[in-house]
């Protein structure tokens, strides 16, 4: 099944890691799993999680201004705490924080994504089996696995029933456009009943998009934190934090700058992917000002250069242009991103297509250009005059290169 077109044209999504871990500002789930925070202390945050200033419409408006087309909220992380009043399991925040979120996104025209972890390190039936082929000498974590001789397959069936109950609640109530699963590494596809799980979600949301952590049912790859040097071939998404943390952590002030975020963003869309940019709201539901300011900054840049963002496909492979690029869907306009102000004419290599004109996208000013060199099948270099200082964008300047026909590239080594 082909991936939904809205996803590949979305370009920007917002990842929201929000849960009880924001109360003390500890790492979500992993802090107790790795014995950094005692389990009881971690869970004591549940009684102190207020969501007192949570306004999903504020979120939706902010994310829309950032230029996002979809949002993914952690409905339940590995800690097992659901953000809605689930009838399944014993851990939830005691109210429904998902419905308002989904309604607010749709009011702003944004697609609704829900994160859900396959694993649940708090459920009494979860640590009842182990992944097939897991070496006996490999150390087990008490929250996730048991020794082979202690497996309880009846308990695992109870866990799957609990999982299916929660997924049915989410899918039936919200008809999500995207389900973002996590934690798949702890069990096999057969243990997770991946095909049955996918069928369950699709029975309520037939056009749902799944990430790759749905294994054989996944629609797109999800590299995390590290931008790929060679972009994946198919649809993909880079998951990236604004600072160094997924959820809110009081001490983490190491925020990426707007310049850096624009670079990550343009390199990602230039490679054919989406950027899923993470924010970590405080426990009261407010987005930290430092993160909101960066979303606004990114959105301002996207708004000035929307033509080079939406409705485009992956641009030039590495080696043709020193920077990211995108290509219009008809393959007749190439958009070049410049992060540094050129001191002189700069070159674009390997263009077999003729060039009609080159303009600065923001101002519309036309730039001089010429092709120099070339021999036999190897085309010459397209040299473009530098934009004037007045035409430079403070973050990244975009040039529109209008071609005579569809883009044709030379990828050879030249004739010797």
């Amino acid at each position: 099944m082909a991936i939904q077109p809205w996803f590949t044209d979305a370009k920007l999504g917002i990842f929201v890691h929000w849960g009880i871990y924001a109360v003390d500002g500890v790492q979500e789930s992993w802090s107790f799993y790795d014995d950094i925070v005692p389990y009881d202390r971690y869970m004591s945050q549940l009684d102190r999680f207020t969501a007192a200033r949570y306004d999903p419409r504020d979120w939706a408006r902010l994310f829309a201004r950032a230029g996002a087309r979809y949002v993914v909220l952690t409905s339940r992380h590995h800690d097992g705490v659901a953000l809605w009043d689930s009838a399944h399991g014993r851990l939830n925040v005691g109210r429904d924080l998902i419905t308002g979120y989904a309604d607010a996104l749709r009011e702003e025209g944004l697609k609704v994504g829900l994160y859900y972890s396959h694993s649940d390190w708090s459920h009494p039936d979860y640590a009842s089996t182990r992944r097939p082929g897991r070496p006996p000498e490999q150390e087990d974590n008490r929250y996730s696995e048991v020794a082979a001789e202690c497996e309880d397959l009846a308990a695992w069936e109870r866990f799957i029933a609990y999982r299916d109950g929660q997924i049915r609640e989410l899918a039936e109530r919200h008809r999500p456009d995207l389900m973002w699963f996590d934690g798949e590494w702890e069990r096999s596809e057969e243990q997770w009943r991946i095909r049955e799980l996918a069928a369950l979600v699709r029975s309520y949301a037939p056009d749902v998009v799944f990430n790759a952590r749905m294994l054989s049912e996944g629609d797109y790859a999800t590299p995390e934190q590290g931008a790929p040097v060679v972009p994946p071939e198919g649809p993909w998404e880079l998951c990236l934090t604004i600072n160094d943390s997924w959820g809110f952590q009081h001490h983490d002030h190491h925020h990426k700058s707007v310049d850096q975020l624009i670079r990550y963003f343009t390199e990602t869309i230039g490679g054919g992917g989406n950027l899923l940019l993470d924010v970590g709201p405080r426990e009261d539901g407010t987005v930290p000002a430092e993160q909101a300011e960066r979303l606004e900054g990114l959105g301002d840049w996207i708004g000035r250069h929307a033509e080079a963002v939406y409705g485009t496909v992956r641009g030039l492979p590495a080696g043709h242009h020193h920077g990211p690029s995108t290509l219009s869907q008809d393959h007749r306009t190439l958009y070049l991103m410049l992060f540094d102000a050129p001191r002189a004419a700069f070159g674009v290599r390997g263009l077999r297509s003729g060039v009609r004109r080159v303009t600065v996208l923001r101002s519309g000013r036309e730039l001089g250009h010429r092709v120099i060199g070339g021999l036999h099948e190897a085309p010459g270099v397209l040299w473009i005059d530098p934009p004037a200082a007045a035409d430079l964008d403070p973050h990244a300047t975009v040039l529109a290169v209008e071609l005579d026909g569809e883009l044709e590239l030379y990828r050879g080594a030249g004739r010797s």
Side-chain angles (χ1 to χ4, degrees), residues 311-328:
T312 63
V313 297
R314 69 177 67 205
L316 298 171
H320 292 273
H321 161 60
H322 295 295
S325 61
T326 57
L327 184 64
S328 61

Side-chain angles (χ1 to χ4, degrees), residues 370-393:
R370 67 207 62 84
V371 175
I372 299 177
L375 180 65
H376 301 297
E377 75 276 10
V381 175
L382 170 68
W383 290 94
I384 301 173
D385 291 341
D391 292 325
L392 295 173
D393 185 88

